[in-house]
PDB file of all heavy atoms in Angstrom:
ATOM      1  N   ASP A  36       2.989 -16.221  -9.936  1.00 85.00           N
ATOM      2  CA  ASP A  36       2.066 -15.149 -10.305  1.00 85.00           C
ATOM      3  C   ASP A  36       0.689 -15.305  -9.669  1.00 85.00           C
ATOM      4  O   ASP A  36       0.070 -14.318  -9.297  1.00 85.00           O
ATOM      5  CB  ASP A  36       1.929 -15.102 -11.838  1.00 85.00           C
ATOM      6  CG  ASP A  36       1.216 -13.859 -12.289  1.00 85.00           C
ATOM      7  OD1 ASP A  36       1.647 -12.751 -11.911  1.00 85.00           O
ATOM      8  OD2 ASP A  36       0.220 -13.987 -13.015  1.00 85.00           O
ATOM      9  N   GLU A  37       0.207 -16.520  -9.523  1.00 84.00           N
ATOM     10  CA  GLU A  37      -1.146 -16.718  -8.967  1.00 84.00           C
ATOM     11  C   GLU A  37      -1.148 -17.879  -8.004  1.00 84.00           C
ATOM     12  O   GLU A  37      -1.060 -19.015  -8.442  1.00 84.00           O
ATOM     13  CB  GLU A  37      -2.123 -16.972 -10.112  1.00 84.00           C
ATOM     14  CG  GLU A  37      -3.579 -16.971  -9.705  1.00 84.00           C
ATOM     15  CD  GLU A  37      -4.058 -15.638  -9.135  1.00 84.00           C
ATOM     16  OE1 GLU A  37      -3.717 -14.576  -9.650  1.00 84.00           O
ATOM     17  OE2 GLU A  37      -4.784 -15.684  -8.127  1.00 84.00           O
ATOM     18  N   PRO A  38      -1.160 -17.708  -6.701  1.00 85.00           N
ATOM     19  CA  PRO A  38      -1.190 -16.413  -6.028  1.00 85.00           C
ATOM     20  C   PRO A  38       0.180 -15.749  -6.086  1.00 85.00           C
ATOM     21  O   PRO A  38       1.204 -16.426  -6.213  1.00 85.00           O
ATOM     22  CB  PRO A  38      -1.547 -16.761  -4.589  1.00 85.00           C
ATOM     23  CG  PRO A  38      -1.010 -18.128  -4.394  1.00 85.00           C
ATOM     24  CD  PRO A  38      -1.148 -18.810  -5.733  1.00 85.00           C
ATOM     25  N   LEU A  39       0.177 -14.406  -5.975  1.00 86.00           N
ATOM     26  CA  LEU A  39       1.430 -13.657  -6.031  1.00 86.00           C
ATOM     27  C   LEU A  39       2.324 -14.058  -4.859  1.00 86.00           C
ATOM     28  O   LEU A  39       1.919 -13.987  -3.709  1.00 86.00           O
ATOM     29  CB  LEU A  39       1.149 -12.157  -5.985  1.00 86.00           C
ATOM     30  CG  LEU A  39       2.371 -11.247  -6.024  1.00 86.00           C
ATOM     31  CD1 LEU A  39       3.160 -11.445  -7.318  1.00 86.00           C
ATOM     32  CD2 LEU A  39       1.965  -9.801  -5.869  1.00 86.00           C
ATOM     33  N   MET A  40       3.543 -14.515  -5.180  1.00 83.00           N
ATOM     34  CA  MET A  40       4.552 -14.850  -4.169  1.00 83.00           C
ATOM     35  C   MET A  40       5.843 -14.167  -4.589  1.00 83.00           C
ATOM     36  O   MET A  40       6.200 -14.193  -5.762  1.00 83.00           O
ATOM     37  CB  MET A  40       4.779 -16.359  -4.087  1.00 83.00           C
ATOM     38  CG  MET A  40       3.631 -17.126  -3.463  1.00 83.00           C
ATOM     39  SD  MET A  40       3.860 -18.930  -3.492  1.00 83.00           S
ATOM     40  CE  MET A  40       5.481 -19.145  -2.853  1.00 83.00           C
ATOM     41  N   HIS A  51       6.742 -15.760   1.120  1.00 74.00           N
ATOM     42  CA  HIS A  51       5.365 -15.805   1.612  1.00 74.00           C
ATOM     43  C   HIS A  51       4.402 -15.569   0.468  1.00 74.00           C
ATOM     44  O   HIS A  51       4.771 -15.066  -0.584  1.00 74.00           O
ATOM     45  CB  HIS A  51       5.151 -14.771   2.726  1.00 74.00           C
ATOM     46  CG  HIS A  51       5.303 -13.358   2.278  1.00 74.00           C
ATOM     47  ND1 HIS A  51       6.519 -12.734   2.175  1.00 74.00           N
ATOM     48  CD2 HIS A  51       4.380 -12.445   1.882  1.00 74.00           C
ATOM     49  CE1 HIS A  51       6.358 -11.498   1.763  1.00 74.00           C
ATOM     50  NE2 HIS A  51       5.074 -11.294   1.565  1.00 74.00           N
ATOM     51  N   SER A  52       3.156 -15.936   0.690  1.00 81.00           N
ATOM     52  CA  SER A  52       2.100 -15.739  -0.292  1.00 81.00           C
ATOM     53  C   SER A  52       1.187 -14.622   0.190  1.00 81.00           C
ATOM     54  O   SER A  52       0.883 -14.517   1.376  1.00 81.00           O
ATOM     55  CB  SER A  52       1.282 -17.027  -0.438  1.00 81.00           C
ATOM     56  OG  SER A  52       0.095 -16.759  -1.164  1.00 81.00           O
ATOM     57  N   TYR A  53       0.752 -13.795  -0.729  1.00 82.00           N
ATOM     58  CA  TYR A  53      -0.217 -12.757  -0.386  1.00 82.00           C
ATOM     59  C   TYR A  53      -1.643 -13.299  -0.348  1.00 82.00           C
ATOM     60  O   TYR A  53      -2.556 -12.594   0.065  1.00 82.00           O
ATOM     61  CB  TYR A  53      -0.134 -11.599  -1.372  1.00 82.00           C
ATOM     62  CG  TYR A  53       1.072 -10.716  -1.155  1.00 82.00           C
ATOM     63  CD1 TYR A  53       2.033 -10.566  -2.133  1.00 82.00           C
ATOM     64  CD2 TYR A  53       1.251 -10.037   0.035  1.00 82.00           C
ATOM     65  CE1 TYR A  53       3.137  -9.754  -1.936  1.00 82.00           C
ATOM     66  CE2 TYR A  53       2.349  -9.234   0.252  1.00 82.00           C
ATOM     67  CZ  TYR A  53       3.283  -9.091  -0.742  1.00 82.00           C
ATOM     68  OH  TYR A  53       4.363  -8.286  -0.537  1.00 82.00           O
ATOM     69  N   GLY A  54      -1.834 -14.521  -0.802  1.00 83.00           N
ATOM     70  CA  GLY A  54      -3.170 -15.123  -0.766  1.00 83.00           C
ATOM     71  C   GLY A  54      -4.194 -14.242  -1.456  1.00 83.00           C
ATOM     72  O   GLY A  54      -3.977 -13.762  -2.558  1.00 83.00           O
ATOM     73  N   GLY A  55      -5.296 -13.978  -0.769  1.00 83.00           N
ATOM     74  CA  GLY A  55      -6.386 -13.183  -1.328  1.00 83.00           C
ATOM     75  C   GLY A  55      -6.065 -11.726  -1.544  1.00 83.00           C
ATOM     76  O   GLY A  55      -6.846 -11.006  -2.167  1.00 83.00           O
ATOM     77  N   TRP A  56      -4.926 -11.274  -1.052  1.00 83.00           N
ATOM     78  CA  TRP A  56      -4.563  -9.854  -1.189  1.00 83.00           C
ATOM     79  C   TRP A  56      -3.583  -9.593  -2.324  1.00 83.00           C
ATOM     80  O   TRP A  56      -3.178  -8.465  -2.547  1.00 83.00           O
ATOM     81  CB  TRP A  56      -3.975  -9.326   0.123  1.00 83.00           C
ATOM     82  CG  TRP A  56      -4.990  -9.334   1.216  1.00 83.00           C
ATOM     83  CD1 TRP A  56      -5.999  -8.441   1.400  1.00 83.00           C
ATOM     84  CD2 TRP A  56      -5.112 -10.292   2.244  1.00 83.00           C
ATOM     85  NE1 TRP A  56      -6.741  -8.791   2.503  1.00 83.00           N
ATOM     86  CE2 TRP A  56      -6.211  -9.932   3.038  1.00 83.00           C
ATOM     87  CE3 TRP A  56      -4.400 -11.443   2.583  1.00 83.00           C
ATOM     88  CZ2 TRP A  56      -6.615 -10.669   4.145  1.00 83.00           C
ATOM     89  CZ3 TRP A  56      -4.809 -12.181   3.676  1.00 83.00           C
ATOM     90  CH2 TRP A  56      -5.902 -11.789   4.443  1.00 83.00           C
ATOM     91  N   GLY A  57      -3.188 -10.627  -3.066  1.00 89.00           N
ATOM     92  CA  GLY A  57      -2.225 -10.463  -4.153  1.00 89.00           C
ATOM     93  C   GLY A  57      -2.671  -9.467  -5.208  1.00 89.00           C
ATOM     94  O   GLY A  57      -1.857  -8.758  -5.800  1.00 89.00           O
ATOM     95  N   LYS A  58      -3.979  -9.385  -5.454  1.00 94.00           N
ATOM     96  CA  LYS A  58      -4.494  -8.478  -6.477  1.00 94.00           C
ATOM     97  C   LYS A  58      -4.161  -7.019  -6.143  1.00 94.00           C
ATOM     98  O   LYS A  58      -3.913  -6.215  -7.040  1.00 94.00           O
ATOM     99  CB  LYS A  58      -6.001  -8.666  -6.634  1.00 94.00           C
ATOM    100  CG  LYS A  58      -6.562  -7.956  -7.812  1.00 94.00           C
ATOM    101  CD  LYS A  58      -7.973  -8.418  -8.125  1.00 94.00           C
ATOM    102  CE  LYS A  58      -8.438  -7.767  -9.404  1.00 94.00           C
ATOM    103  NZ  LYS A  58      -9.540  -8.426 -10.000  1.00 94.00           N
ATOM    104  N   PHE A  59      -4.134  -6.664  -4.855  1.00 95.00           N
ATOM    105  CA  PHE A  59      -3.788  -5.303  -4.448  1.00 95.00           C
ATOM    106  C   PHE A  59      -2.374  -4.959  -4.910  1.00 95.00           C
ATOM    107  O   PHE A  59      -2.135  -3.905  -5.509  1.00 95.00           O
ATOM    108  CB  PHE A  59      -3.890  -5.150  -2.928  1.00 95.00           C
ATOM    109  CG  PHE A  59      -3.361  -3.837  -2.416  1.00 95.00           C
ATOM    110  CD1 PHE A  59      -4.134  -2.688  -2.512  1.00 95.00           C
ATOM    111  CD2 PHE A  59      -2.096  -3.756  -1.876  1.00 95.00           C
ATOM    112  CE1 PHE A  59      -3.637  -1.467  -2.059  1.00 95.00           C
ATOM    113  CE2 PHE A  59      -1.594  -2.545  -1.411  1.00 95.00           C
ATOM    114  CZ  PHE A  59      -2.374  -1.397  -1.511  1.00 95.00           C
ATOM    115  N   PHE A  60      -1.412  -5.857  -4.660  1.00 93.00           N
ATOM    116  CA  PHE A  60      -0.023  -5.598  -5.007  1.00 93.00           C
ATOM    117  C   PHE A  60       0.201  -5.645  -6.519  1.00 93.00           C
ATOM    118  O   PHE A  60       1.018  -4.902  -7.058  1.00 93.00           O
ATOM    119  CB  PHE A  60       0.904  -6.559  -4.263  1.00 93.00           C
ATOM    120  CG  PHE A  60       0.865  -6.313  -2.786  1.00 93.00           C
ATOM    121  CD1 PHE A  60       0.068  -7.084  -1.950  1.00 93.00           C
ATOM    122  CD2 PHE A  60       1.592  -5.271  -2.234  1.00 93.00           C
ATOM    123  CE1 PHE A  60       0.008  -6.828  -0.594  1.00 93.00           C
ATOM    124  CE2 PHE A  60       1.533  -5.003  -0.870  1.00 93.00           C
ATOM    125  CZ  PHE A  60       0.737  -5.782  -0.053  1.00 93.00           C
ATOM    126  N   LYS A  61      -0.536  -6.501  -7.228  1.00 94.00           N
ATOM    127  CA  LYS A  61      -0.477  -6.508  -8.690  1.00 94.00           C
ATOM    128  C   LYS A  61      -1.028  -5.192  -9.234  1.00 94.00           C
ATOM    129  O   LYS A  61      -0.525  -4.661 -10.220  1.00 94.00           O
ATOM    130  CB  LYS A  61      -1.252  -7.690  -9.250  1.00 94.00           C
ATOM    131  CG  LYS A  61      -0.583  -9.019  -9.025  1.00 94.00           C
ATOM    132  CD  LYS A  61      -1.433 -10.120  -9.610  1.00 94.00           C
ATOM    133  CE  LYS A  61      -0.828 -11.471  -9.364  1.00 94.00           C
ATOM    134  NZ  LYS A  61      -1.658 -12.544  -9.934  1.00 94.00           N
ATOM    135  N   GLY A  62      -2.067  -4.672  -8.604  1.00 96.00           N
ATOM    136  CA  GLY A  62      -2.653  -3.403  -9.024  1.00 96.00           C
ATOM    137  C   GLY A  62      -1.658  -2.261  -8.952  1.00 96.00           C
ATOM    138  O   GLY A  62      -1.669  -1.363  -9.807  1.00 96.00           O
ATOM    139  N   LEU A  69      -6.244  -0.672  -5.543  1.00 97.00           N
ATOM    140  CA  LEU A  69      -7.436  -1.514  -5.516  1.00 97.00           C
ATOM    141  C   LEU A  69      -7.902  -1.721  -4.082  1.00 97.00           C
ATOM    142  O   LEU A  69      -7.133  -2.142  -3.221  1.00 97.00           O
ATOM    143  CB  LEU A  69      -7.151  -2.856  -6.187  1.00 97.00           C
ATOM    144  CG  LEU A  69      -6.789  -2.769  -7.669  1.00 97.00           C
ATOM    145  CD1 LEU A  69      -6.450  -4.146  -8.215  1.00 97.00           C
ATOM    146  CD2 LEU A  69      -7.918  -2.133  -8.469  1.00 97.00           C
ATOM    147  N   ALA A  70      -9.163  -1.420  -3.864  1.00 97.00           N
ATOM    148  CA  ALA A  70      -9.799  -1.590  -2.562  1.00 97.00           C
ATOM    149  C   ALA A  70     -10.859  -2.688  -2.708  1.00 97.00           C
ATOM    150  O   ALA A  70     -11.084  -3.200  -3.809  1.00 97.00           O
ATOM    151  CB  ALA A  70     -10.449  -0.280  -2.127  1.00 97.00           C
ATOM    152  N   THR A  71     -11.511  -3.046  -1.607  1.00 96.00           N
ATOM    153  CA  THR A  71     -12.597  -4.024  -1.676  1.00 96.00           C
ATOM    154  C   THR A  71     -13.865  -3.440  -1.074  1.00 96.00           C
ATOM    155  O   THR A  71     -13.829  -2.525  -0.254  1.00 96.00           O
ATOM    156  CB  THR A  71     -12.232  -5.332  -0.949  1.00 96.00           C
ATOM    157  OG1 THR A  71     -11.812  -5.042   0.385  1.00 96.00           O
ATOM    158  CG2 THR A  71     -11.137  -6.087  -1.687  1.00 96.00           C
ATOM    159  N   PRO A  86      -6.339  -1.241   3.956  1.00 90.00           N
ATOM    160  CA  PRO A  86      -6.014  -2.359   3.098  1.00 90.00           C
ATOM    161  C   PRO A  86      -7.262  -3.188   2.790  1.00 90.00           C
ATOM    162  O   PRO A  86      -8.217  -3.211   3.558  1.00 90.00           O
ATOM    163  CB  PRO A  86      -5.015  -3.169   3.927  1.00 90.00           C
ATOM    164  CG  PRO A  86      -4.559  -2.279   5.031  1.00 90.00           C
ATOM    165  CD  PRO A  86      -5.620  -1.272   5.231  1.00 90.00           C
ATOM    166  N   PRO A  87      -7.226  -3.877   1.656  1.00 93.00           N
ATOM    167  CA  PRO A  87      -8.398  -4.655   1.246  1.00 93.00           C
ATOM    168  C   PRO A  87      -8.676  -5.814   2.203  1.00 93.00           C
ATOM    169  O   PRO A  87      -7.800  -6.258   2.934  1.00 93.00           O
ATOM    170  CB  PRO A  87      -8.013  -5.174  -0.139  1.00 93.00           C
ATOM    171  CG  PRO A  87      -6.547  -5.013  -0.251  1.00 93.00           C
ATOM    172  CD  PRO A  87      -6.123  -3.971   0.721  1.00 93.00           C
ATOM    173  N   ARG A  88      -9.918  -6.251   2.193  1.00 92.00           N
ATOM    174  CA  ARG A  88     -10.343  -7.408   2.988  1.00 92.00           C
ATOM    175  C   ARG A  88     -10.846  -8.483   2.021  1.00 92.00           C
ATOM    176  O   ARG A  88     -11.421  -8.168   0.991  1.00 92.00           O
ATOM    177  CB  ARG A  88     -11.497  -7.049   3.933  1.00 92.00           C
ATOM    178  CG  ARG A  88     -11.311  -5.795   4.787  1.00 92.00           C
ATOM    179  CD  ARG A  88     -10.107  -5.892   5.702  1.00 92.00           C
ATOM    180  NE  ARG A  88     -10.152  -4.952   6.812  1.00 92.00           N
ATOM    181  CZ  ARG A  88      -9.556  -3.767   6.833  1.00 92.00           C
ATOM    182  NH1 ARG A  88      -8.881  -3.344   5.795  1.00 92.00           N
ATOM    183  NH2 ARG A  88      -9.626  -2.989   7.892  1.00 92.00           N
ATOM    184  N   THR A  89     -10.645  -9.745   2.349  1.00 90.00           N
ATOM    185  CA  THR A  89     -11.191 -10.813   1.507  1.00 90.00           C
ATOM    186  C   THR A  89     -12.642 -11.086   1.841  1.00 90.00           C
ATOM    187  O   THR A  89     -13.399 -11.537   0.989  1.00 90.00           O
ATOM    188  CB  THR A  89     -10.371 -12.118   1.643  1.00 90.00           C
ATOM    189  OG1 THR A  89     -10.312 -12.484   3.005  1.00 90.00           O
ATOM    190  CG2 THR A  89      -8.977 -11.937   1.082  1.00 90.00           C
ATOM    191  N   ASN A  90     -13.024 -10.814   3.084  1.00 92.00           N
ATOM    192  CA  ASN A  90     -14.416 -10.991   3.515  1.00 92.00           C
ATOM    193  C   ASN A  90     -14.856  -9.737   4.265  1.00 92.00           C
ATOM    194  O   ASN A  90     -14.057  -9.100   4.949  1.00 92.00           O
ATOM    195  CB  ASN A  90     -14.565 -12.211   4.418  1.00 92.00           C
ATOM    196  CG  ASN A  90     -14.250 -13.482   3.677  1.00 92.00           C
ATOM    197  OD1 ASN A  90     -13.119 -13.932   3.659  1.00 92.00           O
ATOM    198  ND2 ASN A  90     -15.258 -14.049   3.038  1.00 92.00           N
ATOM    199  N   MET A  98     -15.906 -10.093  -0.838  1.00 94.00           N
ATOM    200  CA  MET A  98     -15.729  -8.704  -1.237  1.00 94.00           C
ATOM    201  C   MET A  98     -15.441  -8.646  -2.736  1.00 94.00           C
ATOM    202  O   MET A  98     -14.943  -9.605  -3.321  1.00 94.00           O
ATOM    203  CB  MET A  98     -14.557  -8.081  -0.472  1.00 94.00           C
ATOM    204  CG  MET A  98     -14.703  -8.121   1.047  1.00 94.00           C
ATOM    205  SD  MET A  98     -15.901  -6.956   1.665  1.00 94.00           S
ATOM    206  CE  MET A  98     -14.826  -5.597   2.100  1.00 94.00           C
ATOM    207  N   GLU A  99     -15.747  -7.494  -3.353  1.00 95.00           N
ATOM    208  CA  GLU A  99     -15.392  -7.269  -4.747  1.00 95.00           C
ATOM    209  C   GLU A  99     -14.291  -6.209  -4.807  1.00 95.00           C
ATOM    210  O   GLU A  99     -14.191  -5.358  -3.936  1.00 95.00           O
ATOM    211  CB  GLU A  99     -16.601  -6.815  -5.564  1.00 95.00           C
ATOM    212  CG  GLU A  99     -17.150  -5.460  -5.167  1.00 95.00           C
ATOM    213  CD  GLU A  99     -18.351  -5.047  -6.001  1.00 95.00           C
ATOM    214  OE1 GLU A  99     -18.516  -5.557  -7.123  1.00 95.00           O
ATOM    215  OE2 GLU A  99     -19.130  -4.199  -5.516  1.00 95.00           O
ATOM    216  N   TRP A 100     -13.477  -6.295  -5.860  1.00 96.00           N
ATOM    217  CA  TRP A 100     -12.368  -5.347  -6.041  1.00 96.00           C
ATOM    218  C   TRP A 100     -12.863  -4.130  -6.782  1.00 96.00           C
ATOM    219  O   TRP A 100     -13.559  -4.244  -7.792  1.00 96.00           O
ATOM    220  CB  TRP A 100     -11.232  -6.019  -6.800  1.00 96.00           C
ATOM    221  CG  TRP A 100     -10.549  -7.065  -5.982  1.00 96.00           C
ATOM    222  CD1 TRP A 100     -10.837  -8.407  -5.955  1.00 96.00           C
ATOM    223  CD2 TRP A 100      -9.493  -6.858  -5.050  1.00 96.00           C
ATOM    224  NE1 TRP A 100     -10.013  -9.047  -5.070  1.00 96.00           N
ATOM    225  CE2 TRP A 100      -9.178  -8.116  -4.499  1.00 96.00           C
ATOM    226  CE3 TRP A 100      -8.787  -5.748  -4.627  1.00 96.00           C
ATOM    227  CZ2 TRP A 100      -8.177  -8.287  -3.549  1.00 96.00           C
ATOM    228  CZ3 TRP A 100      -7.780  -5.908  -3.683  1.00 96.00           C
ATOM    229  CH2 TRP A 100      -7.492  -7.175  -3.161  1.00 96.00           C
TER     230      TRP A 100
END
Side-chain angles (χ1 to χ4, degrees):
D36 191 54
E37 189 62 42
L39 179 61
M40 289 175 49
H51 64 277
S52 168
Y53 285 118
W56 295 283
K58 190 167 186 161
F59 172 79
F60 294 98
K61 288 180 182 180
L69 297 177
T71 53
R88 311 300 199 264
T89 55
N90 295 91
M98 302 286 264
E99 65 180 338
W100 290 93

